[in-house]
Amino acid sequence: LTRQVHATPQRHRAVADHHVACRTGDRDGRDRGGQQVAVLRVQRGQVGKRDHGCKIRQVSHELSLQALADLDDDALAQLYAPRGQPWLRVNFVSTVDGAAQGSDGLSKSINNAADKRVFDTLRRRAHCLIVGAGTLRSEGYNVPDLPLVVVSRSGEVPPTLRTAPAGRVLMATVSDAPLLEATRSLLGAEHVLTLGKSEIDLVLLKSMLAERGWVDQLCEGGPGLFGSMLAAGVVDELCHTVVPRLSGGSHLRIVAGVDLDVAVRPVVLLEQDGTLLGRWLIS
């Protein structure tokens, strides 16, 4: 593994799996002018694959630290394009010491403008949003602009979502849910997915959403749901923002509830004012 600093213009460059500087740079990643960026090069044994329309002809995997401010909205959207269908990604923010929430117990108290820009990009790309009921209640979610899938074993619709337009909110729950019938009456039976007796089948959830045409699936947590999704093997990607803050204490991390050892691989790394934003593929 080597780290080198060189001049590379970042505008419109896609950093991806088996990345090479296929748009504007040579194989050493050098271009004509631009700002200083850090480049990580890891030797890998994969060649001949296509990524963002670029034919890969070298063995190295090059990951460039790009300036978020140098990417316009279209370039940023392309950088976060899904790698397959269906594609389930999870988006989280945390402090440098791993806290997924601030002193008030909310993630919104640690996010910033850089995180919000990628957050909005992911929302615009997504066909549906998947969030655990506890996170929806604690973070005070309102009805989003895209279909929202509430994941809840109790089957309870959070209060802020009960007046949503028909079809905007779906419930993923179980047949043993105590509020199953009440939620069917509120949302309509066709918008309530019963995915198991006492535990929600997350593999089935992913496939059923894809059957509705929602193949770009975005989950915003919380940590317990993310842990369950990892254990079920349904997560394709983690989008993780690290804000330049330390919080201490015993705050939640981005994964909770289960013991895991899951390998991830970085394919995009962005920076703005000390905030790092990455795409990590789940191996």
Side-chain angles (χ1 to χ4, degrees), residues 11 43 59 68 78 103 138 166 182:
R11 218 170 251 105
Q43 292 300 315
V59 177
L68 175 60
Q78 182 183 9
S103 58
S138 63

Side-chain angles (χ1 to χ4, degrees), residues 143-220:
V143 181
D145 293 331
L146 71 170
L148 171 63
V149 182
V150 181
V151 181
S152 170
R153 282 195 295 269
S154 72
E156 182 180 11
V157 179
T160 56
L161 305 175
R162 291 175 186 170
T163 58
R168 185 71 63 80
V169 174
L170 286 76
M171 173 63 69
T173 189
V174 294
S175 59
D176 283 350
L179 297 174
L180 179 60
E181 292 307 318
T183 296
R184 282 174 172 164
S185 297
L186 178 65
L187 301 180
E190 68 275 21
H191 302 309
V192 178
L193 309 178
T194 306
L195 306 172
K197 179 174 171 51
S198 58
E199 295 293 330
I200 297 171
D201 185 336
L202 296 171
V203 175
L204 185 57
L205 173 60
K206 183 177 181 179
S207 65
M208 290 187 70
L209 295 180
E211 288 174 4
R212 291 176 177 243
W214 299 341
V215 294
D216 192 340
Q217 302 169 7
L218 173 63
C219 176
E220 293 178 353

Side-chain angles (χ1 to χ4, degrees), residues 88-185:
L88 172 58
R89 69 177 106 209
V90 181
N91 186 32
F92 268 102
V93 61
S94 74
T95 61
V96 172
D97 57 339
Q101 53 191 193
S103 58
D104 58 0
L106 302 177
S107 65
K108 63 181 67 174
S109 62
I110 62 172
N111 63 17
N112 56 25
D115 178 62
K116 183 64 162 58
R117 187 175 174 209
V118 171
F119 176 94
D120 289 342
T121 297
L122 296 177
R123 283 254 186 130
R124 285 193 295 268
R125 289 206 65 99
H127 295 143
C128 66
L129 182 64
I130 307 167
V131 188
T135 296
L136 291 167
R137 286 190 290 268
S138 63
E139 297 279 351
Y141 271 62
N142 292 314
V143 181
D145 293 331
L146 71 170
L148 171 63
V149 182
V150 181
V151 181
S152 170
R153 282 195 295 269
S154 72
E156 182 180 11
V157 179
T160 56
L161 305 175
R162 291 175 186 170
T163 58
R168 185 71 63 80
V169 174
L170 286 76
M171 173 63 69
T173 189
V174 294
S175 59
D176 283 350
L179 297 174
L180 179 60
E181 292 307 318
T183 296
R184 282 174 172 164
S185 297

Side-chain angles (χ1 to χ4, degrees), residues 80-82 87-90 235-239 279-282:
Y80 279 87
W87 190 261
L88 172 58
R89 69 177 106 209
V90 181
V235 182
D236 298 297
E237 172 186 342
L238 167 64
C239 297
R279 287 186 73 181
W280 299 78
L281 300 187
I282 308 300

